[in-house]
Every structure is written in C-alpha cells, then in structure tokens.
Amino acid sequence: MKFAIRKYRVRIGPHPHSDDGFFIFLGDPPSKRLCWSARSRKIPTFRRNNGKMFHLKSQSWLTPRDKLACLGLPVTSATATAMGIPIIPVKDRLRAGSVTGNSFHFATAACVQLVALSCYKMDRDSF
C-alpha cells in the first residue's frame, strides 16, 4: 500500500488520505500491477480472487454488501426506494462476495439488452 501512496503523490497530488474516491485493490502486488481509482475516478473491477478493496480516507475495507451497492443492487434503502422494490438482504457474505467478482453493473446489461432488442426486426421469412 505504501507503494500506491508514493505513486499517488508523484502522479496526482500530495494528499491521498483526503481523497474521497481513492480506492486501492490489494489483490495484486502494487509494484507489478497497480489497480486503483486515482486516475479513472472509478472503483477498480471486482475480481473473484482473495484481494480486497481498501478506501484510504476512511481506512476501511469494502464489504461484500458495499460491493453489491457499487454495482447498483438494491441492498440499501435509498437504492431500493429509488427502484421501487424491496431491499435485497445480504445474508451470506461469502456468496455476496462471489457474486461481485468479474461482474458489471446490471443497469448496463439491461441497457445493452434494450438496445439489442430495439434494433431487432422480425422477418416473416425467418419463421
């Protein structure tokens, strides 16, 4: 983690501990592959390995529930209310953690499906 902080100070600025959006993925050795949100301002891709996501400002790890919330799943009351559905309870931390690995936002998947279906034209000869 010290390597990532040093790199942040060189590339971005002197105060990584005050950056609200600075997350570091600690599943890979930072000196070989640095996965962070410093440049893109986006949380790095969740993977299924044992690596953990660390938020430097709050000095805390992202929990499986936090990861599900990042993906837009209604695990918080605010998200569920906005979607008009009940909260999805997170009862099994291990299962919730495995669901977030190598995944992308469901809203993105829904948008891709909508575009694909709207571009599709039924042809009478295709029956």
Side-chain angles (χ1 to χ4, degrees):
M1 189 163 9
K2 291 178 184 179
F3 179 82
I5 292 171
R6 282 196 308 268
K7 283 285 189 184
Y8 184 98
R9 287 186 174 138
V10 169
R11 292 182 183 177
I12 310 298
H15 305 292
H17 293 286
S18 62
D19 189 346
D20 287 332
F22 185 44
F23 290 88
I24 306 168
F25 176 70
L26 298 173
D28 301 324
S31 59
K32 294 184 180 181
R33 182 183 163 122
L34 185 58
C35 295
W36 63 357
S37 63
R39 287 190 176 256
S40 67
R41 309 305 302 156
K42 298 174 183 170
I43 294 177
T45 302
F46 299 128
R47 290 190 259 156
R48 297 185 76 162
N49 67 4
N50 292 332
K52 295 183 179 182
M53 196 75 64
F54 188 73
H55 185 239
L56 193 63
K57 183 175 181 180
S58 66
Q59 296 289 304
S60 62
W61 303 99
L62 254 64
T63 65
R65 184 173 184 255
D66 295 334
K67 291 178 182 180
L68 290 173
C70 290
L71 293 171
L73 293 172
V75 294
T76 63
S77 60
T79 308
T81 302
M83 295 174 119
I85 58 175
I87 294 175
I88 295 175
V90 179
K91 296 180 180 180
D92 183 1
R93 291 182 311 113
L94 296 176
R95 179 70 182 133
S98 71
V99 167
T100 59
N102 294 336
S103 58
F104 62 99
H105 201 287
F106 286 134
T108 305
C111 184
V112 169
Q113 290 175 353
L114 180 65
V115 170
L117 290 171
S118 66
C119 295
Y120 182 77
K121 180 181 176 187
M122 289 292 291
D123 187 9
R124 289 189 175 261
D125 297 331
S126 64
F127 288 96

